[in-house]
């Protein structure tokens, strides 16, 4: 099942589950007083207590461990739990069933962990609006100085609802999202420079088709394209106008509401009708075919997630194996006439998952102390990287995984990322250090090219608007509008040029009737 389909199905399940168990049970189960949670860790009576923490179970636990009793959990108990008279108990939740399981736990009140989390913002907003979450603002001020410093105000805002801090957002280490890539060896054969504007890209793609520098014949694909965000978002963002400053609406399905969206679809229509992009892109939602085409050397230009082609035995390595004379380079080619000719592209928000403390928890203070401990000293490094000299060596202050680490050492870290919940990726103090550490985790032969791709991905980026309250229409219409965006892209791209306007207007009318009108009205009101 592809990512978009999974997301739609998950939201449908979520809606049903929330309606069934949250409408009454959540409020009933979490109806404890506001002071109950705060008092739990403030008593200081010396009594040993248990702190229950959710943990994703991905079904990949090494045989010598269990998901709740392993090297990392034992280290946490020794270094945090025992000194604070706290038993840290990890509660496994299947990653594939996280929302459904969490709904049930939240409704039970007595069984729900003291620390829970979710990636889906709409789930977080629903819990907050149902009254099921602890406002942790004062608790962070009291017990979380290191946590507050680590996250920063910009990241903390993602967990606020109308001024109340109902979630502690994990902090994303790398906000770079997409880069584009072009075959420099094809350009060299044609004596053409690397394109630097959208118009130059179009002329380059035409030359790739007409002159076939790779001698691919019928397999020649000037521009690789899939019905996937990494393909279409870089193109769309190069046409749309930001809402304010360097901000756009946060959800993918809100792209049609931006000025310039029609022009982006018209350009895609031009590329498709002139045979410049992958003919069957509408059938490739998971980028499988695009990956094969790139690896086989058929593609002259494409856009992708900044890192995805550089992992071991991914497209970059396979291309070098299949076409030893190829030279694939990052290229910043799309220019935006609605943004002074900048190379506009989206970046991730600074937040990762939403970490929450249920209203029914009596261990809210201990929960914040635990997260604050995680943000202190080298505790994140101990969780993420293991033991120095066995799992990693320090190189210029950066933990670098040892190539000759034993299997035993590797097994220690099987759930490191899922345990270090305050950090999405390795946060080492600043973005430059984060990126340097991230790059050093890739095969040495790919690191220099990835560094250049990261520079492209970080240029002229726009981020998501963070509203002070939930957008109800996002929760209500997200699935339908996400599906509709795919339909708009496919139908407008494949329309005959003479029919483009009529097809676009019809599909946009459907989009607005499926909730786009209500969504647009609410978003514009929230901007005021």
């Amino acid at each position: 099942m592809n990512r978009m389909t999974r997301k739609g199905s998950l939201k449908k399940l979520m809606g049903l589950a929330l309606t069934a168990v949250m409408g009454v049970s959540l409020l009933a189960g979490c109806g404890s007083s506001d002071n109950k949670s705060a008092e739990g860790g403030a008593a200081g009576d010396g009594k040993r207590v248990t702190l229950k923490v959710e943990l994703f179970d991905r079904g990949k636990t090494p045989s010598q461990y269990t998901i709740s009793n392993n090297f990392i959990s034992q280290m946490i108990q020794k270094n945090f739990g025992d000194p604070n008279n706290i038993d840290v108990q990890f509660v496994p939740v299947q990653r594939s069933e996280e929302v459904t399981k969490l709904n049930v736990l939240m409704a039970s009140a007595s069984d729900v962990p003291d620390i829970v989390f979710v990636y889906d913002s709409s789930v977080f907003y629903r819990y907050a609006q149902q009254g099921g979450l602890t406002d942790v603002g004062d608790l962070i001020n009291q017990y979380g100085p290191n946590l507050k410093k680590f996250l920063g105000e910009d990241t903390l805002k993602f967990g606020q609802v109308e001024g109340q801090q109902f979630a502690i957002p994990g902090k994303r280490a790398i906000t770079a999202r997409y880069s584009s890539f072009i075959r420099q060896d094809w350009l060299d054969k044609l004596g053409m420079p690397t394109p630097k504007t959208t118009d130059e890209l179009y002329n380059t793609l035409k030359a790739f088709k007409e002159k076939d520098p790779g001698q691919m014949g019928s397999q020649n694909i000037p521009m690789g394209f899939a019905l996937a965000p990494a393909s279409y978002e870089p193109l769309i963002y190069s046409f749309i106008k930001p809402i304010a400053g360097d901000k756009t609406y946060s959800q993918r399905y809100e792209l049609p509401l931006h000025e310039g969206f029609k022009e982006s679809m018209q350009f895609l229509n031009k590329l498709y009708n002139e045979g410049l992009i992958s003919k069957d892109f509408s059938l490739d939602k998971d980028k499988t075919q695009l990956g094969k085409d790139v690896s086989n050397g058929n593609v002259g230009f494409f856009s992708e997630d900044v890192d995805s082609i550089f992992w071991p035995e991914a497209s970059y390595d396979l291309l070098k194996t299949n076409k030893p004379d190829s030279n694939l380079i990052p290229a910043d080619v799309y220019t935006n006439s609605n943004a002074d000719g900048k190379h506009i592209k989206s970046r991730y928000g600074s937040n990762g998952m939403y970490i929450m403390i249920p209203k029914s928890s009596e261990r809210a203070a201990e929960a914040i102390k635990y997260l604050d401990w995680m943000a202190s000293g080298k505790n994140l490094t101990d969780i993420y990287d293991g033991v120095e000299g066995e799992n990693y060596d320090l190189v210029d202050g950066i933990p670098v995984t040892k190539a000759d680490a034993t299997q035993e050492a590797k097994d220690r870290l099987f759930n490191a990322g899922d345990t270090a919940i305050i950090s999405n990726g390795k946060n080492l103090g600043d973005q430059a250090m984060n990126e340097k550490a991230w790059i050093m985790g890739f095969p040495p032969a790919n690191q220099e090219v990835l560094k250049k791709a990261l520079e492209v991905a970080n240029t002229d980026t726009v981020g998501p608007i963070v509203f002070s309250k939930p957008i109800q229409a996002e929760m209500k219409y997200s699935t339908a509008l996400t599906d509709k965006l795919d339909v708009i892209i496919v139908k407008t791209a494949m329309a005959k040029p003479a029919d483009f306007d009529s097809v676009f207007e019809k599909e946009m009318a459907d989009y607005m009737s499926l909730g786009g009108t209500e969504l647009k009205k609410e978003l514009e009101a929230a901007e005021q």
Side-chain angles (χ1 to χ4, degrees), residues 85 124 126 220 262 341 372 437 451 522-523:
N85 216 18
F124 155 59
R126 286 182 187 273
N220 179 27
K262 180 178 180 179
D372 188 74
K451 182 179 179 180
E522 189 176 353
L523 286 170

Side-chain angles (χ1 to χ4, degrees), residues 119 126 182 211 240 285 410:
Y119 279 105
R126 286 182 187 273
I182 197 164
K211 299 180 182 180
I240 64 173
K285 295 186 71 171
K410 294 176 182 177

Side-chain angles (χ1 to χ4, degrees), residues 243-283:
I243 300 300
D246 67 342
K247 297 292 191 294
T248 59
Y249 293 138
S250 61
Q251 304 298 332
R252 177 170 298 123
Y253 52 80
E254 291 164 348
L255 285 171
L257 300 178
H258 289 82
E259 181 182 335
F261 176 73
K262 180 178 180 179
E263 288 73 17
S264 72
M265 293 296 97
Q266 198 151 26
F267 183 64
L268 184 61
N269 173 269
K270 181 179 183 179
L271 297 178
Y272 181 83
N273 278 279
E274 294 185 16
L276 301 180
I277 66 173
S278 305
K279 181 180 180 181
D280 296 322
F281 79 88
S282 64
L283 304 177

Side-chain angles (χ1 to χ4, degrees), residues 182-183 186 208 216 219-225 278 290 293-294 296-302 328:
I182 197 164
R183 289 283 297 275
W186 285 19
F208 282 173
M216 304 306 301
Q219 302 299 313
N220 179 27
I221 304 173
M223 175 173 163
F225 198 77
S278 305
L290 175 61
D293 290 334
V294 171
N296 290 331
N298 302 342
V299 173
F301 170 85
F302 66 101
L328 186 67

Side-chain angles (χ1 to χ4, degrees), residues 175-180 196 234 237-238 246 306 330-336 339-348 431 435 450-463:
T175 58
R177 200 164 191 173
Y178 303 125
S179 182
S180 296
K196 296 181 180 179
Y237 269 88
S238 73
D246 67 342
V306 64
D332 210 358
V333 299
Y334 289 119
T335 45
N336 191 315
D340 300 323
K342 292 183 178 180
H343 298 282
I344 294 293
K345 58 187 73 70
S346 68
R347 65 175 180 268
Y348 286 111
Q431 189 73 11
E435 291 177 353
L450 173 57
K451 182 179 179 180
K452 294 177 181 177
L454 197 58
E455 292 173 359
V456 170
N458 281 328
T459 300
D460 296 340
T461 60
V462 293

